[in-house]
Amino acid sequence: MASVGSFADGALEQRVSDGVTRVEDLLARSVHSPEPLVAEASSHLLQAGGKRFRPLLALLCAEFGDPAAPQIVPAAVVVELTHLATLYHDDVMDEASMRRGAPSANARWDNSVAILVGDFLFARASSLVADLGPEAVRIQAETFARLVHGQLRETLGPGPEDDRLQHYLSVVADKTGSLIATAARFGAMMSGAGPDVEETLLEFGERIGIAFQLADDIIDVASDAGDSGKVPGTDLREGVPTLPTLLVQASPVNGDERLRELLAGPIADEDDVQWVIRALREHPAMDEARAYVRAEADAARALLAKLPVGAARDALDEICTRATDRLG
């Protein structure tokens, strides 16, 4: 089971922990299928673990209303099932061989199975959200549209007139920020927290989601421990643009020629990967990237002033701190 982490208020921590347990139980039931292959493949990533950040955020945001409302846990599961489904599809598109320290579904079975299992999880999420009312269905549909739009923009890449950094940031907002924003919104909405609180938490979720994703970009270069769940340098090997690499390319300095040349595409040679990691760690772009993430987390934290004072607000503030503490 994913760890909730610790919060200053013990009663809040216990409520959220109990909520996460109920989320895990419903997730397990939701991925079940009478077809053995579907059951095994759909539970593959679920059993591999994960932070369950999206359900956790939904549970925390529900604290601004009635945290015992019965629709909160199903809403949190809808978001996590949607997230899991996108991972199956992403791994096919990226031709990934590993996910969460285990063979990806497309590597263990094949692309067709991975795609169909992702579709099955989307269907299970749709079934659950249908019981949450038409407004929840509309929000889920709009979120799904943003997820697809972000994936399409990432696949097609920036156009000749596009700013590459701004294009990338828009992709991160759609692919990562949108679903985390919906998790926060669902928590507030299902608990009856009220429209003003819901709107604030929607914006908070998107900003903190972007901050965490961009922090992973930095960790991919700066950490030896693979804190993002990937082997350090994974994005470099795959030629995936990230915040630090785009900042290098946007503001070149003398001596960057070899670095920029290698960053132009996938890096096949492992010695080159290690050289680029060392070069990036010493490059001013890393500090610039860290400053960008801190600014995004600070913007998320500033939104909390609109919320009622209490343990839940303090916990969200702590999440902002965790986002920046990961930067090293």
Side-chain angles (χ1 to χ4, degrees):
M1 182 189 300
S3 172
V4 171
S6 59
F7 298 111
D9 186 284
L12 170 66
E13 186 176 329
Q14 186 60 55
R15 284 195 302 275
V16 173
S17 180
D18 291 345
V20 169
T21 298
R22 294 195 298 274
V23 165
E24 293 287 350
D25 289 344
L26 183 53
L27 276 170
R29 296 198 303 273
S30 297
V31 302
H32 177 71
S33 168
E35 172 58 48
L37 176 59
V38 175
E40 181 183 8
S42 63
S43 64
H44 178 63
L45 284 184
L46 191 64
Q47 293 173 351
K51 300 180 181 70
R52 304 288 189 265
F53 177 69
R54 292 156 187 82
L56 171 63
L57 185 61
L59 293 167
L60 280 175
C61 291
E63 291 285 328
F64 293 95
D66 175 10
Q71 292 182 316
I72 294 167
V73 167
V77 171
V78 165
V79 176
E80 188 67 7
L81 285 172
T82 303
H83 173 57
L84 288 169
T86 65
L87 297 183
Y88 281 85
H89 286 182
D90 283 355
D91 284 346
V92 171
M93 297 190 70
D94 298 340
E95 300 180 351
S97 60
M98 300 291 291
R99 169 70 69 174
R100 294 179 174 173
S104 61
N106 49 299
R108 180 167 174 178
W109 291 280
D110 59 31
N111 284 347
S112 295
V113 168
I115 291 169
L116 290 170
V117 168
D119 291 345
F120 171 72
L121 294 177
F122 280 129
R124 297 299 295 128
S126 297
S127 179
L128 284 174
V129 81
D131 293 331
L132 300 179
E135 179 65 7
V137 172
R138 182 188 65 79
I139 291 169
Q140 173 73 355
E142 290 178 352
T143 304
F144 188 54
R146 284 192 67 187
L147 292 170
V148 173
H149 185 256
Q151 184 61 65
L152 277 170
R153 284 174 59 80
E154 181 179 68
T155 301
L156 296 172
E161 303 301 321
D162 290 336
D163 179 279
R164 295 186 67 207
L165 178 58
Q166 292 307 313
H167 175 273
Y168 174 70
L169 293 173
S170 72
V171 167
V172 170
D174 283 342
K175 282 193 63 178
T176 301
S178 66
L179 191 57
I180 293 175
T182 293
R185 184 179 193 177
F186 273 170
M189 178 178 160
M190 300 305 162
S191 70
D196 290 343
V197 170
E198 182 182 330
E199 186 64 29
T200 297
L201 289 171
L202 173 68
E203 186 177 352
F204 172 86
E206 178 136 351
R207 284 192 173 275
I208 202 63
I210 291 170
F212 269 92
Q213 179 58 56
L214 296 179
D216 278 352
D217 285 2
I218 296 168
I219 290 168
D220 186 59
V221 173
S223 174
D224 291 322
D227 293 342
S228 65
K230 301 184 294 185
V231 176
T234 295
D235 293 330
L236 298 173
R237 294 178 183 88
E238 297 174 357
V240 176
T242 63
L243 181 59
T245 63
L246 288 168
L247 288 171
V248 168
Q249 293 167 325
S251 303
V253 298
N254 289 336
D256 277 354
E257 289 78 11
R258 184 188 177 202
L259 178 59
R260 286 161 46 216
E261 180 181 348
L262 288 170
L263 291 177
I267 307 174
D269 184 88
E270 188 59 27
D271 288 340
D272 286 341
V273 171
Q274 296 306 317
W275 182 89
V276 169
I277 289 175
R278 291 192 298 272
L280 284 174
R281 287 176 178 177
E282 298 172 358
H283 199 281
M286 289 296 286
D287 286 338
E288 188 178 351
R290 289 186 179 96
Y292 191 98
V293 174
R294 291 190 178 99
E296 199 67 32
D298 286 345
R301 178 179 278 113
L303 290 165
L304 300 180
K306 300 179 182 180
L307 300 174
V309 174
R313 194 175 98 171
D314 292 343
L316 295 179
D317 187 274
E318 174 61 24
I319 285 177
C320 296
T321 300
R322 292 180 190 180
T324 55
D325 281 352
R326 301 164 73 236
L327 300 176

